[in-house]
Amino acid sequence: MLSRTADHLYWMSRYTERAENTARMLDVNYQTSLLPQSEAVAQLGWQGLLSISELLFSYKERHGEIQAREVMDFMVKDEDNPSSILSCLGAARENARAVRGTLTTEVWETQNTTWLEVKRMVKSGEFERDPAQFFEWVKFRSHLSRGVTVGTMLMDEALYFMRMGTFLERADNTARLVDVKFHALQSDFYGTANEKDQEYDFYHWSAILRSVSGFEVYRKVYRDVIKPERVAELLILRADMPRSLHASLNEVVSNLRLVASDPHSETLRRVGKLRAELMFGRIDEILATGLHAYLTQFLDRVNDLGAHISREFLVASDA
């Protein structure tokens, strides 16, 4: 396969996944902002959201003070923000258009319809009328895109590069979400002061789990009250949790092996080592050494892995 074609397929999937993850993070912040809380606490939540996407400086440069509505507009429909949902879905569609002949009709139509529909929804004000419904729509279109891809594409290198892009992006976004949310609520590891605090914290941890479709999964796996260390274990180490770091790296490894011509390549070695640490890691050891430090290092290694994939298989890109 031509490296330029592989590059477009890889980034098409990454942008689609990024739009979904942005919708998930916005949704959890929007839902938690409806809970009784002080203005300062609510503002910290929106600031954390911008920090997850490394957009805090960019936002403040344009808008100054952090306001919930302005943050949502910036993250949903600001075309000057390359990480906004509108920008991501537009970039996904452009990458799909560039390799239209490689995609099945169903995959192309799904990407194109999503782009046309999101433009219509933003223009008509549907997002402002019901943000939660809009975020659900974005998630649904991403699910549809993955389902159509797996259900109609030939199982060859094109599919493998698309899957690789999806799960590398997912690992990056899940790590960012866990890092920022746990950092903001780190006092919960040491217990809460009273019953009201415990109830408040329950809703916050529930919202974090729901943002990665993990609430029902948590209940099934642990059958217990929501505890921060178990949330961390579920989202980092559980291979059977679809959006966990471990599950995402498993997919990256399996798809990378299918496209790598050299079974001993440096890219495979790095991703294999990272996956092995997740496979044999223990949450008590991670928490003892510091969750923030662990996730910061993980994100650095994921970014390094993306750079190696680009150098070995794709066109050099700053996307």
Side-chain angles (χ1 to χ4, degrees):
M1 170 177 284
L2 293 173
S3 60
R4 187 171 295 279
T5 300
D7 186 70
H8 284 302
L9 295 168
Y10 172 82
W11 282 105
M12 179 191 80
S13 295
R14 285 201 72 159
Y15 280 122
T16 302
E17 180 70 19
R18 191 173 299 176
E20 179 189 347
N21 281 284
T22 300
R24 286 176 177 276
M25 291 186 290
L26 282 166
D27 193 30
V28 68
N29 249 69
Y30 175 69
Q31 299 293 347
T32 53
S33 71
L34 302 177
L35 297 171
Q37 59 187 310
S38 69
E39 188 177 333
V41 171
Q43 191 174 39
L44 279 175
W46 292 110
Q47 181 175 317
L49 176 63
L50 292 167
S51 299
I52 291 173
S53 307
E54 298 182 1
L55 291 169
L56 187 58
F57 176 77
S58 178
Y59 171 87
K60 286 189 171 180
E61 205 173 35
R62 296 185 204 176
H63 302 283
E65 189 179 348
I66 294 173
Q67 300 287 345
R69 174 53 63 183
E70 287 192 354
V71 172
M72 285 207 289
D73 286 348
F74 178 67
M75 294 295 290
V76 170
K77 60 183 186 179
D78 190 337
E79 294 185 77
D80 293 327
N81 171 15
S83 294
S84 72
I85 290 174
L86 191 64
S87 295
C88 287
L89 292 178
R93 190 260 187 188
E94 282 304 302
N95 277 283
R97 185 184 60 80
V99 288
R100 171 69 185 84
T102 306
L103 303 174
T104 61
T105 300
E106 291 88 347
V107 172
W108 162 248
E109 289 294 341
T110 300
Q111 290 286 349
N112 193 43
T113 301
T114 299
W115 168 238
L116 296 174
E117 189 68 6
V118 75
K119 284 202 301 181
R120 182 196 65 76
M121 294 172 79
V122 167
K123 188 176 181 180
S124 67
E126 286 187 37
F127 158 60
E128 285 83 359
R129 284 195 292 275
D130 192 343
Q133 186 176 357
F134 175 81
F135 298 141
E136 284 300 317
W137 178 85
V138 174
K139 289 188 278 184
F140 171 78
R141 295 302 298 187
S142 181
H143 295 325
L144 181 63
S145 176
R146 280 195 302 277
V148 168
T149 298
V150 174
T152 67
M153 291 285 291
L154 186 67
M155 294 184 186
D156 63 359
E157 288 184 334
L159 178 64
Y160 305 147
F161 277 110
M162 291 163 74
R163 300 282 288 173
M164 199 190 311
T166 293
F167 289 102
L168 195 65
E169 184 69 29
R170 183 175 295 182
D172 180 275
N173 281 273
T174 299
R176 290 178 189 277
L177 176 72
V178 174
D179 187 25
V180 172
K181 292 300 181 184
F182 272 72
H183 190 63
L185 299 170
Q186 61 185 342
S187 61
D188 294 346
F189 282 118
Y190 307 105
T192 48
N194 54 50
E195 190 175 326
K196 185 178 178 181
D197 286 340
Q198 290 175 3
E199 182 181 352
Y200 178 78
D201 289 339
F202 170 80
Y203 285 115
H204 274 270
W205 291 116
S206 298
I208 291 167
L209 286 168
R210 290 182 195 281
S211 73
V212 290
S213 300
F215 185 76
E216 290 87 357
V217 173
Y218 182 96
R219 290 297 197 200
K220 187 173 183 179
V221 170
Y222 296 107
R223 302 177 185 276
D224 198 357
V225 295
I226 298 175
K227 297 181 179 178
E229 61 272 18
R230 288 183 171 173
V231 175
E233 181 180 59
L234 183 71
L235 300 185
I236 296 171
L237 299 178
R238 293 284 306 205
D240 50 359
M241 167 60 189
R243 305 192 75 85
S244 73
L245 304 187
H246 190 174
S248 298
L249 264 293
N250 280 347
E251 290 286 346
V252 174
V253 169
S254 62
N255 285 282
L256 190 57
R257 279 178 177 161
L258 292 166
V259 299
S261 55
D262 178 8
H264 304 292
S265 74
E266 179 62 15
T267 307
L268 265 174
R269 188 191 73 81
R270 286 172 184 252
V271 71
K273 183 179 179 183
L274 184 55
R275 196 266 297 264
E277 290 174 14
L278 291 166
M279 187 182 298
F280 298 106
R282 289 178 53 177
I283 196 61
D284 55 341
E285 294 174 350
I286 291 173
L287 295 177
T289 56
L291 185 64
H292 177 65
Y294 175 85
L295 291 170
T296 299
Q297 185 187 58
F298 178 87
L299 284 166
D300 288 341
R301 293 171 72 180
V302 165
N303 289 334
D304 178 65
L305 180 59
H308 272 80
I309 289 172
S310 291
R311 281 197 294 270
E312 188 170 343
F313 302 103
L314 312 175
V315 175
S317 173
D318 297 325

